[in-house]
Amino acid sequence: MLAGLLGWGQATQASEIAFEEDGNGWKVKVTKEVDGGVETVRAPLPMVVTTDLRLNEPRYASLPNIMKAKKKKLEKKTLGDYRVDGGRRLRVVKVEEPPPRKGGGKVEDVDGMISKLKALGAI
């Protein structure tokens, strides 16, 4: 939906992404796995790309790096430092509870269930 609203190209479930430059500018080559094999699409930038789990190989922290990270100071920043307005953007118009559900009924056997469903117009 975002790509459609922006008028950009879209590629979904990317398992591999490559950027290529040709005479007309930058293009994105996106490879994704489909039922029959692999599908590759190429489109100019800007483009919306969603990824698959196989795109990145996770990096795991080693114990020495964890210990170094504990010693580093964290710098506290506010939204204003990034020139972001933290005000509310949405206004709640109305909140309602859903209507209470009606209780079900018990039936004695299958024939009773069928007749009850017919009476309700379900079958």
Side-chain angles (χ1 to χ4, degrees), residues 10-12 14-21 25-32 38-45 47 49-50 55:
Q10 176 177 329
T12 58
S15 60
E16 185 179 326
I17 300 173
F19 295 92
E20 304 169 343
E21 186 176 15
W26 286 91
K27 294 194 185 261
V28 181
K29 179 178 163 187
V30 178
T31 305
K32 72 180 201 174
V38 178
E39 179 182 355
T40 303
V41 295
R42 185 177 287 121
L45 287 174
M47 182 177 189
V49 179
T50 63
L55 181 66

Side-chain angles (χ1 to χ4, degrees), residues 7-83:
W8 295 357
Q10 176 177 329
T12 58
Q13 301 295 319
S15 60
E16 185 179 326
I17 300 173
F19 295 92
E20 304 169 343
E21 186 176 15
D22 63 2
N24 298 330
W26 286 91
K27 294 194 185 261
V28 181
K29 179 178 163 187
V30 178
T31 305
K32 72 180 201 174
E33 295 178 13
V34 293
D35 291 338
V38 178
E39 179 182 355
T40 303
V41 295
R42 185 177 287 121
L45 287 174
M47 182 177 189
V48 175
V49 179
T50 63
T51 62
D52 190 351
L53 293 173
R54 291 175 283 279
L55 181 66
N56 288 331
E57 185 68 32
R59 298 185 309 172
Y60 298 102
S62 64
L63 184 60
N65 286 339
I66 292 172
M67 299 308 287
K68 287 179 193 174
K70 284 184 176 182
K71 294 177 185 175
K72 274 197 168 187
K73 287 199 168 220
L74 284 179
E75 197 177 318
K76 288 191 176 184
K77 296 194 173 203
T78 64
L79 290 176
D81 295 337
Y82 299 105
R83 291 186 236 145

